Amino acid sequence: MRFMELAMEEAIKAQGAGEVPIGALVVHKDGEVISRAYNLTKTTYDPSAHAEINALRIATSKIENNILKDYDLYVTLEPCLMCTVAITNARIRRLYFGAYANQQNEFTSSESARYLSSQECNHRPDIYGGILEIQNRELIKSFFQSKREG
């Protein structure tokens, strides 16, 4: 839970920057946090600057290798399809996420799950969802409520 709490700190930074509050971090299997990041799509005018992508970019630059087979990714929301493809291409060992992207709290019904079970997918990390789910869902929900009210 400690690592998900750190990812949530990144999500709060995103919210403070006017971004959708999603945070991510890459952690070595020995427990060292190698990168921390949050959504920057509006700030950088880059539609690919999701928290997961940003964390992967920082981590791969730091270790000077595009393969992260000894690393885990923690993210506050179930990754979208774009991020899932990047996660598999980086060979992330384990994926931990907070809130589910759908109302049924099922990873199996998502586009990402379909990709991971397809022949196009060349690597499938171990996946663990629903970590601090309520807190992560509330963070995102309150962000969008404030946008509607504002």
Side-chain angles (χ1 to χ4, degrees):
M1 276 211 254
R2 179 178 126 243
F3 294 129
M4 187 57 70
E5 288 169 347
L6 293 174
M8 289 178 70
E9 288 176 11
E10 295 301 306
I12 291 167
K13 290 178 189 176
Q15 185 173 24
E19 300 275 356
V20 177
I22 300 172
L25 49 124
V26 175
V27 180
H28 188 268
K29 66 182 180 183
D30 293 335
E32 178 189 358
V33 176
I34 193 86
S35 68
R36 299 170 66 129
Y38 53 88
N39 271 8
L40 286 170
T41 58
K42 293 180 184 196
T43 303
T44 61
Y45 309 108
D46 179 356
S48 70
H50 290 196
E52 301 94 311
I53 302 288
N54 296 333
L56 292 172
R57 286 176 178 157
I58 293 165
T60 55
S61 289
K62 199 174 276 188
I63 68 166
E64 298 181 341
N65 193 333
N66 64 315
I67 302 299
L68 298 168
K69 68 180 178 126
D70 292 329
Y71 294 85
D72 302 333
L73 178 71
Y74 289 78
V75 61
T76 57
L77 179 66
E78 176 185 335
C80 70
L81 182 57
M82 174 185 71
C83 292
T84 299
V85 173
I87 290 163
T88 63
N89 285 334
R91 308 292 195 278
I92 284 290
R93 184 177 77 129
R94 294 183 181 140
L95 167 64
Y96 298 91
F97 67 86
Y100 288 86
N102 66 39
Q103 298 296 323
Q104 293 77 34
N105 293 345
E106 294 177 358
F107 183 74
T108 57
S109 67
S110 72
E111 289 294 320
S112 294
R114 281 191 281 282
Y115 168 73
L116 289 168
S117 64
S118 74
Q119 290 184 344
E120 288 81 25
C121 181
N122 57 12
H123 169 76
R124 188 176 202 276
D126 294 333
I127 301 170
Y128 306 92
I131 302 164
L132 298 178
E133 179 187 356
I134 294 168
Q135 298 92 319
N136 281 300
R137 189 177 341 109
E138 285 302 315
L139 186 60
I140 293 167
K141 185 178 173 183
S142 66
F143 173 80
F144 284 110
Q145 277 180 334
S146 71
K147 292 293 183 190
R148 283 191 291 273
E149 294 167 1

